[in-house]
Amino acid sequence: EEPVSEEPASDVPVSEQPVAVGPESDRPSPVPAARPAVPSPAALAKRLGPNPATAYGRVDETGQVYVKTADGERAVGSYPGASPQTALAHFARKYDELAAQVALVEQRADSADVPAKELTDQVAKLRGQVEGASVVGDLAALEARLTAVGARVEERRETERVARQQARAEATAAREALVAEAEKLASQPPERIHWKNSAPRMRELLDQWKEAQRSGPRLDRDVEQGLWARLSAARNSFDRARRTHFAQLDATQGEAKAAKAKLVAEAERLATSKDWVATAGEFKRLMDRWRQAGRAGRAEDDALWERFHAAQETFFNAKDALVAAEQEEFRANLVVKEALLVEAEALLPVKDIEASKAALRVIQDKWDKAGKVPRADMERIEKAMRRVEQTVRDADDRKWAATNPEVAARASSLVVQLEKAIADLEADLAKATASGNARKIKDAQEALSARQQWLEQARAGLAEFGG
């Protein structure tokens, strides 16, 4: 028997036409390679065995081919001029072609690269082909396989649906985070916004949104439109605030530039001044005004500051040079005053007040002529000289007090008064003792003791005057 490769025209519908058997030269070109490879009718005939009526189909005496189903037999076509075995083999081959397509769907169902939607469409298409198919074979088995693979695909579809929902929820949350950050940037008070960082960040948020649109999961239309509206509103608000801020900044910087230019001119005028103390104070006040003037643009501010600082340096470098020269002179003065201090301290303790006073006056004249000393040594050296001067002065005061006749007379009068008071108190004590009045005795004794102590001190003072 010749293998069958194509169905000839007949009274049977095209979808159910059998393939005619004829000479090799009458056969059309081979079946395209895309169709699944199946055995030849002869091979199928051998596989079905000598009695096909006991398999899934039969051929009646008129050549009509039937397939056996759970609902009974169903005619699938005829194969004129062929033996029943060949006719059954032909329709069995068509069954194998259909089974091969089912097997292909089963294989594709195991691949994660094939979308579940595409597999669902293929299963539905094959299910329609199996129902009423003009084939001979186990149609129930094909339907069962399609049902099984359909369940697997449906399970995949559900898994993918859940994954899509989760991905969409995560994408929505990510977009919401972008919008919330943009709104937070836009809601800041303009004077507190760090424009250098915030403006680039706002652009990054927009770029991230666009990238999410291109490569991320699609959001629900109303959700995406709502989020985009919020993002656009935040960006517009931020841009308006930024334009207003920089317009105000330009105006403020212009004022600062003009103010600092005046300060620079004044500093340059003072740069050559020799009035060191007053000009140093002026530069300090100029510096305070510079800080209060605000900032001009970076380039303008830097150029103005360079001129201002150069004027300061010119003045203070000249002043420092003068101070350095003065310090050399002051250190030499210190050497002189250290020697004078040694001479002054040699006058102590004071023995001859008049000679010490005369020597100290000579030292003081030299001290005044010696000039200034370094600031770090000034307090030490001056305090040491003041101690010597105070010691001589105290000795002179004591001598004067000891020779003052008026003071001596007062000391003598005090002694007389205290002696009379003591005599009176002794008489009072005697009376109190005689009366036995304890309180009066105590009072008289305390008063008498105090006056006696005062009398000793008064007599000691009087002795200094030679009394």
Side-chain angles (χ1 to χ4, degrees):
E1 295 180 348
E2 293 289 337
V4 179
S5 61
E6 186 180 82
E7 300 174 359
S10 71
D11 294 334
V12 182
V14 175
S15 62
E16 301 177 359
Q17 290 177 359
V19 178
V21 179
E24 184 71 24
S25 60
D26 293 336
R27 295 191 195 127
S29 57
V31 176
R35 296 179 61 186
V38 295
S40 66
L44 287 172
K46 290 180 182 179
R47 190 190 70 183
L48 291 175
N51 188 9
T54 61
Y56 297 103
R58 71 179 182 85
V59 182
D60 65 9
E61 63 279 3
T62 64
Q64 181 68 41
V65 180
Y66 295 88
V67 63
K68 297 177 181 179
T69 68
D71 298 329
E73 293 184 338
R74 175 169 57 80
V76 296
S78 61
Y79 201 145
S83 67
Q85 186 78 357
T86 300
L88 284 174
H90 166 71
F91 286 97
R93 181 180 178 183
K94 294 178 68 176
Y95 172 87
D96 280 357
E97 291 176 351
L98 193 57
Q101 295 183 45
V102 173
L104 180 60
V105 171
E106 289 173 331
Q107 292 175 1
R108 298 189 74 194
D110 293 331
S111 173
D113 296 333
V114 183
K117 175 64 169 61
E118 181 179 333
L119 292 171
T120 299
D121 294 342
Q122 290 181 353
V123 169
K125 181 179 178 181
L126 284 174
R127 197 182 297 278
Q129 292 175 353
V130 169
E131 293 177 0
S134 298
V135 299
V136 171
D138 191 352
L139 292 176
L142 285 186
E143 290 178 354
R145 289 169 62 186
L146 286 174
T147 299
V149 75
R152 288 164 54 198
V153 171
E154 186 59 30
E155 183 178 345
R156 270 189 59 186
R157 286 193 67 179
E158 178 62 19
T159 301
E160 291 178 1
R161 184 187 66 79
V162 172
R164 283 195 303 272
Q165 286 182 343
Q166 182 176 354
R168 186 180 295 113
E170 292 174 354
T172 301
R175 299 274 193 97
E176 174 68 36
L178 294 179
V179 172
E181 186 175 352
E183 290 175 336
K184 182 177 180 180
L185 289 175
S187 63
Q188 299 177 90
E191 66 276 5
R192 297 181 60 186
I193 296 178
H194 194 295
W195 297 103
K196 185 176 180 180
N197 295 336
S198 296
R201 181 54 185 160
M202 185 65 82
R203 288 193 293 270
E204 289 175 2
L205 293 175
L206 178 61
D207 292 339
Q208 290 175 16
W209 176 279
K210 292 179 178 178
E211 179 60 27
Q213 279 188 316
R214 284 192 297 268
S215 58
R218 295 181 63 85
L219 308 186
D220 294 338
R221 184 178 182 84
D222 56 341
V223 172
E224 184 169 27
Q225 287 180 344
L227 290 174
W228 172 249
R230 288 171 56 192
L231 179 63
S232 296
R235 290 180 60 242
N236 291 337
S237 174
F238 182 84
D239 288 340
R240 283 193 301 272
R242 185 175 61 84
R243 287 193 296 270
T244 300
H245 168 77
F246 282 102
Q248 294 173 348
L249 183 61
D250 288 342
T252 302
Q253 288 180 343
E255 295 174 358
K257 179 181 177 182
K260 287 186 173 181
K262 292 180 179 179
L263 295 175
V264 168
E266 192 169 350
E268 290 174 341
R269 179 181 61 80
L270 294 172
T272 57
S273 173
K274 304 301 181 186
D275 188 355
W276 308 111
V277 177
T279 305
E282 281 298 316
F283 267 110
K284 182 179 183 304
R285 286 186 286 275
L286 288 178
M287 192 68 236
D288 292 339
R289 289 164 59 190
W290 180 279
R291 294 191 185 97
Q292 296 168 3
R295 290 189 59 82
R298 177 180 292 274
E300 293 84 354
D301 223 33
D302 290 346
L304 289 169
W305 170 251
E306 186 174 348
R307 291 173 56 192
F308 184 85
H309 185 63
Q312 278 185 320
E313 288 292 294
T314 299
F315 171 78
F316 284 105
N317 286 341
K319 181 176 179 294
D320 291 343
L322 178 65
V323 170
E326 288 179 341
Q327 288 300 310
E328 282 295 322
E329 179 184 347
F330 292 169
R331 281 191 287 272
N333 296 343
L334 179 62
V335 174
V336 174
K337 287 193 171 183
E338 292 277 11
L340 292 173
L341 181 60
V342 172
E343 291 182 31
E345 289 176 338
L347 299 175
L348 305 180
V350 179
K351 297 177 181 178
D352 186 338
I353 185 61
E354 295 302 328
S356 297
K357 287 167 60 178
L360 184 59
R361 280 194 295 271
V362 174
I363 294 173
Q364 287 173 327
D365 290 341
K366 293 179 180 180
W367 185 277
D368 293 339
K369 292 177 182 178
K372 295 181 179 180
V373 299
R375 183 182 297 273
D377 300 289
M378 184 180 298
E379 183 177 4
R380 174 183 62 82
I381 199 75
E382 291 295 332
K383 279 187 175 181
M385 179 55 78
R386 298 291 85 78
R387 283 195 296 270
V388 173
E389 293 173 343
Q390 187 62 46
T391 301
V392 173
R393 189 179 300 111
D394 291 344
D396 189 40
D397 289 344
R398 284 195 300 272
K399 180 183 178 183
W400 181 86
T403 57
N404 189 337
E406 183 179 344
V407 175
R410 285 200 300 269
S412 178
S413 175
L414 178 60
V415 170
V416 172
Q417 291 176 7
L418 288 173
E419 287 175 344
K420 183 179 182 305
I422 289 174
D424 293 340
L425 288 172
E426 287 176 345
D428 292 340
L429 177 59
K431 291 178 182 180
T433 302
S435 66
N437 190 325
R439 185 179 64 78
K440 288 184 177 182
I441 293 172
K442 180 181 179 182
D443 291 344
Q445 287 176 340
E446 289 176 354
L448 179 61
S449 176
R451 296 307 188 280
Q452 287 172 342
Q453 291 178 7
W454 294 351
L455 178 59
E456 290 177 5
Q457 294 174 2
R459 285 173 176 171
L462 181 60
E464 293 181 2
F465 295 100

